[in-house]
Amino acid sequence: MSGGPTADVMSGDPTAGVDIGGTKIRAAVVAPGGAVLASATAPTPAGGEAMLDVAADLVARAVASAGVPVAAVGVGAAGVVDPGTGEVLAASDSFTGWVGTNLRDGFGSRTGLRVVAANDVDSFLVGEATWGAVRGVRSAAGIALGTGVGGALWLDGALYRGAGAAGEIGHMPGFGDARCTCGQRGHLETLASGRSVARRYAELGGGPGVETDVGASEVEARALAGDELAVRVLADAGHAVGSAVLMVAALLDVGHVVVGGGLARAWDLLEPALLARLRAEPPVSGHLIEVRRAVLGGNATVVGAAALAR
Ligand SMILES: [Zn+2]
């Protein structure tokens, strides 16, 4: 039977996915083949319970808008999420009242649905592995270059979560001496996040206007306009990501890596240094590592969360 190009992937009722981020929360109803049937978005309020209230309301709105019942809801949330209990174990300082929030119980009581809770980058990778850039791939690492740097692992056809923080390469040491957002030094995130690209550009001298508010997207624009320092800072980020990919491949022999997040928009400026790093030190396995840019964009986390709930 053929119901469409992706009907072989999954069948059954639609599920809901939720993406809980630092600035906005998005919910979507996702068909078994990965299509977003309806979605709703709202700004992220302060406090764990308020965030759950808004997220549950968005699920209800998306379900009403789609006009179909959903079997379960998957939640992809910022922070380290306990795979067993669904509790948020750790989160950045910008999430007030988020640590200790139980996503599974909080969502279950609000929606009456079965709940699967995971980290947002885990959900992003599940989305890309199910319907995106690394679909059909047996093992892959996912890297999200956003405000920070997140990571996730897809091993032998399934998400590998460890105790909740598996694949979190952003806080891997060995990348210089700069202070990381986590308080320690020299983590990958200090070179390869959007925030650190902007910070390094300013610290290294930058150009006109850096004393005001030059974000990573402005650094990207300046690099495209020929600003050599901006080009170098983005190449440094690509080189650092390449080093991290080599470590992940050495440990786990993953053959594919998918890179997403806001800074991945500057792909043409990151990729040459990243690939040069991989070519300089090919894995002893002889297996080539294929690095792909994410293709699902802002949908990856919601559709991945919905896939986890299937
Ligand atoms: Zn760190």
Side-chain angles (χ1 to χ4, degrees):
M1 295 295 288
S2 174
T6 56
D8 60 316
V9 176
M10 288 171 181
S11 57
D13 292 328
T15 51
V18 184
D19 176 0
I20 300 182
T23 57
K24 64 184 191 326
I25 299 175
R26 183 153 177 261
V29 174
V30 180
V36 173
L37 303 177
S39 68
T41 305
T44 305
E49 296 302 313
M51 287 159 76
L52 290 181
D53 287 343
V54 167
D57 179 58
L58 291 171
V59 169
R61 281 163 51 189
V63 169
S65 165
V68 291
V70 296
V73 58
V75 184
V80 177
V81 179
D82 188 308
T85 65
E87 182 180 327
V88 178
L89 300 176
S92 81
D93 292 347
S94 53
F95 292 85
T96 49
W98 193 226
V99 173
T101 302
N102 192 302
L103 301 177
R104 196 172 65 193
D105 296 349
F107 249 87
S109 62
R110 283 170 174 82
T111 64
L113 293 167
R114 183 172 61 80
V115 179
V116 177
N119 167 264
D120 54 354
V121 182
D122 285 351
S123 303
F124 150 81
L125 177 57
V126 171
E128 293 289 342
T130 308
W131 294 299
V134 288
R135 180 180 170 184
V137 160
R138 185 167 177 79
S139 296
I143 302 176
L145 305 175
T147 310
V149 174
L153 295 170
W154 178 263
L155 300 178
D156 290 336
L159 180 69
Y160 178 75
R161 301 179 64 183
E168 282 295 348
I169 62 169
H171 299 285
M172 226 160 36
F175 295 85
D177 189 42
R179 176 80 68 185
C180 186
T181 53
C182 69
Q184 298 179 51
R185 287 188 175 274
H187 291 175
L188 172 64
E189 186 166 302
T190 65
L191 291 177
S193 71
R195 187 162 36 200
S196 59
V197 161
R199 174 186 52 74
R200 290 193 74 233
Y201 181 72
E203 282 177 3
L204 292 170
V210 291
E211 68 285 353
T212 53
D213 186 21
V214 172
S217 56
E218 173 64 17
V219 177
E220 179 195 355
R222 291 182 182 201
L224 290 171
D227 181 328
E228 286 182 16
L229 179 60
V231 169
R232 192 181 115 206
V233 166
L234 285 162
D236 288 348
H239 180 93
V241 171
S243 297
V245 166
L246 287 174
M247 293 180 206
V248 172
L251 276 175
L252 299 164
D253 200 12
V254 293
H256 292 79
V257 176
V258 57
V259 182
L263 191 62
R265 280 195 310 264
W267 187 246
D268 292 346
L269 296 154
L270 299 168
E271 189 188 31
L274 198 170
L275 295 184
R277 183 77 186 94
L278 298 188
R279 275 194 301 270
E281 287 191 57
V284 289
S285 65
H287 300 161
L288 296 177
I289 307 163
E290 192 174 326
V291 180
R292 297 178 183 170
R293 186 178 176 180
V295 297
L296 297 178
N299 274 338
T301 296
V302 281
V303 300
L308 275 173
R310 304 199 68 81

